[in-house]
Amino acid sequence: MIERRGGVAIIAPAMREIPLEDNRAALEFADRLLAGGFELVIFLTGVGARALFQAIETRHPRGLIVEALKKVTTVARGPKPIRAMRELGLEPTIVVPEPNTWREILNSVSARGDLNGQRVAIQEYGASNRELIAGLEARGAIVTVVPVYRWALPIDRAPLRAALEQIAAGEAEVALFTSSNQVTNVIQMAEADGIGADVMRGFSRMAVGSIGPVCSEQLRAYGIAVDFEPQHSKLGHFVNEAAARAASILASKYRAPRIEVVEVPIRRRVASAPPIRSPLHDHPMMKACRREAAPYTPIWLMRQAGRYMPEYRRVRERHDFLEMCRQPELAAEVTVTAVERLGVDAAIIFADILLPLIPMAVGLHFEKGDGPIIDRPIRSAADLDRIPPIDPDALNFVGESIKLVKSALANKTPLIGFAGAPFTLASYLIEGGSSRQYQATKTFMYTQPEVWHRLMEMLARITADYLKMQIAAGADIVQIFDSWVGSLGPDDFRRFVLPHTAAVIAAIPAEVPVIHFGTVTGNLLELMRAAGGDVLGLDWRVNLAEAWARLNYSVAVQGNLDPVALFADVPEIRTRARAILDQAGCRAGHIFNLGHGILPETPVDHVIALVDAVHEMSARH
């Protein structure tokens, strides 16, 4: 297909599937299935479904297994397991919608009914999907993993090694990745051969394509920007997309120099006149923000006031989400309760990053199960022009919440105010809600750059004013959440985002620490540092020690435990916390946090155990 489109194909197999010999797990699964031991069976791949039946048929007739599966709920992750199941005489009960990630699987089976006490079998494909397993177990399911094959490097690695050398030498122009496991093998092979850095530089000059969201997430986790995905996750569509877009992608990359170490002129932050000195100036959290030595590593957790806490759920049962944000007494109650219950070193005001969109009259509302919805998205200059002048008092309820929290905390614990970054706010406004591909947002950037910058300038002004209002009300620290910025490559971040995020941070008084956080930003850390914040938030996809070294320790860092780790038992949680503290190396300027927000089903006692462990293990004697 590549050659028919005029390309020169470099064949470089990066993995092979190895069926497990004498698969006892498959046979035990079959025995339990026939005995009525499962209510739900999830098939993740077509190859795996066929391999599972091959293993089972060494002991049981196929027809017997098919009849047993017809009596339970069966789940097919996507087109390939659907085809395999139909070949075997099965019609899946649940077909998982695109993009077929663990999130869609979890949502689909949860929508079917209560999972508490349900016995669930998962046909695995090479590596455990810990997020899916944790999500099912958090909903009360009893999960059995049925491995049927594993991934390995190809026996003949010469073609892969040759391809990597070509990439490192700049002799390849397009890279097509078809699975997340393939990404891992490619990077590991490059590192093992001592050309990891050269290969990463090579990818930065190439048009990089991903077959779908799961693969893209893995690429971004390794710091590789994804330039395109096909509309449908099929090889024919993938090659067609590459043929259609590669030339323009390469032209844009060679037209501007690649970004590695970037020096961007950023306005210096100015102290208030007179400077504000927080009564909590010498609190360990404040010291860590300034990269000063503290008696222990401070810890707080994103979404620490959330659905995982029974106290929060009791309030939420009586009030909808926006009502809780708008009523200062309710917002203050859940904010303070989290601090008191968990023993963390900072409070974060209960609010939402999208509150500044309310006075824009775009029809923001929250739908159960779908999250935020924008009824009147911004797609043109005319849409932007209809945004009314923003009343600076429209969000004063957040300031009132902060005042109540400050009074309740009695200057014992710092309070964090926060806002969404201009890019993430713009993405919601343009997409009309949550998104996986950010297609509308990026198309807007590329095709209407002048309107884009007008929109971002407006959002930067609103965000800066909103944060300064929170500081005036008593916030000791502010955090800027750029939740979606990991969807961009370095060039787009530098051109379309960095000036506006930097403008927000420059507007914050110099004595108030600013934390800048984004997800899937391993390829953007140096640029995010250039925006001017005091603390850079790291998600769990990067190694903290390596990331901090990349930043030359010129900024404090926050993070970065995987939120799913809190579903493990307490000894494992302590082990993982110890590993992150070791990566920080007792260096001044580390704030312990998760790599993203606490998940709704997280056990509260596990969160408390983490807080206690960090305090205990990081104490400087």
Side-chain angles (χ1 to χ4, degrees):
M1 288 188 287
I2 292 171
E3 290 173 351
R4 283 201 301 271
R5 287 285 190 164
V8 178
I10 301 171
I11 308 300
M15 63 183 192
R16 59 194 170 104
E17 299 161 352
I18 304 176
L20 300 178
E21 301 296 334
D22 189 23
N23 195 332
R24 295 179 183 177
L27 297 175
E28 288 174 5
F29 159 74
D31 292 342
R32 289 179 58 189
L33 176 68
L34 292 171
F38 295 104
E39 283 80 35
L40 191 146
V41 179
I42 301 173
F43 292 94
L44 295 180
T45 65
V47 171
R50 295 183 185 95
L52 177 61
F53 267 77
Q54 287 173 2
I56 291 172
E57 286 173 18
T58 62
R59 178 179 293 178
H60 301 288
R62 175 184 296 187
L64 199 62
I65 299 299
V66 169
E67 289 306 312
L69 285 169
K70 287 179 179 178
K71 295 175 184 177
V72 304
T73 300
T74 53
V75 181
R77 188 179 68 122
K80 292 180 180 179
I82 291 172
R83 283 197 297 273
M85 291 172 70
R86 287 174 178 166
E87 289 170 10
L88 297 164
L90 273 173
E91 190 64 33
T93 314
I94 298 174
V95 173
V96 177
E98 290 186 352
N100 315 125
T101 70
W102 65 269
R103 297 178 182 86
E104 286 74 41
I105 298 172
L106 204 53
N107 290 338
S108 297
V109 298
S110 298
R112 186 83 176 181
D114 187 6
L115 290 172
N116 190 37
Q118 296 286 295
R119 295 164 296 179
V120 180
I122 304 175
Q123 167 258 307
E124 282 199 336
Y125 60 109
S128 291
N129 190 313
R130 58 182 179 172
E131 292 93 348
L132 175 59
I133 295 169
L136 290 168
E137 289 178 341
R139 289 160 172 77
I142 302 164
V143 179
T144 297
V145 170
V146 188
V148 290
Y149 57 91
R150 60 184 174 86
W151 298 116
L153 284 164
I155 295 172
D156 181 6
R157 301 175 190 178
L160 177 58
R161 184 168 282 115
L164 290 173
E165 289 172 354
Q166 286 182 272
I167 291 168
E171 297 171 358
E173 295 171 307
V174 181
L176 303 181
F177 288 92
T178 57
S179 83
S180 58
N181 292 285
Q182 186 186 67
V183 176
T184 300
N185 282 4
V186 164
I187 299 302
Q188 290 180 350
M189 183 81 170
E191 293 290 346
D193 284 359
I195 57 171
D198 292 333
V199 167
M200 292 297 287
R201 277 191 290 272
F203 282 136
S204 73
R205 297 187 294 263
M206 298 170 69
V208 178
S210 162
I211 194 70
V214 176
C215 184
S216 294
E217 189 173 29
Q218 189 75 343
L219 283 162
R220 293 184 185 116
Y222 280 106
I224 301 172
V226 177
D227 295 306
F228 63 92
E229 289 181 11
Q231 191 70 26
H232 302 286
S233 298
K234 293 183 172 60
L235 281 177
H237 291 276
F238 197 16
V239 173
N240 289 343
E241 188 80 4
R245 299 189 56 188
S248 61
I249 291 168
L250 291 169
S252 68
K253 291 190 176 190
Y254 282 102
R255 193 161 49 237
R258 295 302 301 164
I259 300 171
E260 292 184 9
V261 178
V262 178
E263 304 217 358
V264 179
I266 300 297
R267 286 183 288 161
R268 292 179 60 84
R269 291 165 61 195
V270 179
S272 302
I276 302 167
R277 182 181 172 90
S278 168
L280 292 161
H281 181 82
D282 292 324
H283 188 281
M285 178 72 184
M286 303 295 287
K287 285 190 167 187
C289 290
R290 299 191 300 268
R291 287 180 288 143
E292 296 174 3
Y296 59 85
T297 299
I299 175 173
W300 71 279
L301 305 166
M302 288 178 278
R303 294 200 195 119
Q304 64 188 25
R307 285 177 289 170
Y308 74 104
M309 296 190 75
E311 297 91 338
Y312 173 91
R313 293 197 298 271
R314 285 195 289 270
V315 176
R316 184 71 172 83
E317 285 169 1
R318 304 191 304 271
H319 307 278
D320 68 35
F321 179 74
L322 281 179
E323 183 185 359
M324 289 176 65
C325 294
R326 287 176 180 272
Q327 291 196 24
E329 295 80 8
L330 296 177
E333 177 186 345
V334 296
T335 300
V336 173
T337 297
V339 175
E340 293 175 342
R341 181 82 188 275
L342 304 177
V344 288
D345 298 297
I348 182 165
I349 194 65
F350 180 80
D352 190 84
I353 63 171
L354 298 185
L355 293 181
L357 305 191
I358 294 175
M360 295 185 192
V362 291
L364 170 67
H365 59 99
F366 290 80
E367 292 288 339
K368 188 173 182 179
D370 292 325
I373 302 294
I374 306 291
D375 290 331
R376 294 177 289 281
I378 294 176
R379 303 282 172 78
S380 66
D383 293 335
L384 180 58
D385 290 340
R386 73 160 189 265
I387 301 296
I390 304 303
D391 179 359
D393 297 329
L395 300 176
N396 275 355
F397 56 85
V398 177
E400 293 304 312
S401 301
I402 288 173
K403 292 174 184 177
L404 291 176
V405 172
K406 289 294 289 184
S407 176
L409 295 177
N411 284 331
K412 294 178 182 177
T413 307
L415 174 60
I416 302 170
F418 72 91
F423 174 80
T424 291
L425 296 181
S427 297
Y428 272 106
L429 283 169
I430 295 166
E431 300 286 345
S434 299
S435 173
R436 294 191 181 279
Q437 307 293 341
Y438 311 98
Q439 180 176 334
T441 302
K442 293 182 179 182
T443 301
F444 192 110
M445 282 193 324
Y446 300 149
T447 60
Q448 303 180 76
E450 292 183 6
V451 183
W452 169 266
H453 286 296
R454 280 180 53 207
L455 171 62
M456 291 288 280
E457 287 166 3
M458 179 189 75
L459 292 172
R461 287 194 302 272
I462 292 169
T463 301
D465 290 344
Y466 179 46
L467 289 173
K468 287 190 286 186
M469 178 271 286
Q470 295 181 54
I471 293 166
D476 302 287
I477 302 165
V478 294
Q479 175 155 317
I480 297 172
F481 286 87
D482 215 346
S483 309
W484 289 4
V485 78
S487 64
L488 298 180
D491 289 345
D492 284 343
F493 181 91
R494 181 173 185 263
R495 176 183 174 190
F496 293 109
V497 176
L498 178 56
H500 307 290
T501 304
V504 174
I505 294 173
I508 305 304
E511 67 271 19
V512 178
V514 176
I515 305 170
H516 187 187
F517 173 75
T519 59
V520 199
T521 52
N523 60 328
L524 301 176
L525 296 180
E526 291 84 355
L527 286 168
M528 291 177 70
R529 171 64 186 96
D534 303 284
V535 184
L536 196 59
L538 306 175
D539 77 3
W540 74 93
R541 299 173 180 88
V542 298
N543 177 281
L544 187 144
E546 294 174 1
W548 210 354
R550 280 171 54 190
L551 298 165
N552 296 318
Y553 308 106
S554 60
V555 64
V557 293
Q558 177 176 280
N560 63 338
L561 183 69
D562 186 338
V564 178
L566 289 174
F567 291 96
D569 56 28
V570 171
E572 178 66 16
I573 292 170
R574 290 178 63 88
T575 298
R576 290 175 176 269
R578 174 78 270 170
I580 289 172
L581 291 170
D582 288 346
Q583 288 174 32
C586 297
R587 189 182 296 275
H590 175 221
I591 300 164
F592 201 105
N593 208 310
L594 302 179
H596 207 329
I598 296 179
L599 297 170
E601 298 84 4
T602 303
V604 178
D605 58 332
H606 287 198
V607 180
I608 295 171
L610 171 66
V611 174
D612 291 344
V614 170
H615 285 157
E616 171 200 329
M617 293 188 291
S618 67
R620 279 71 153 168
H621 300 294

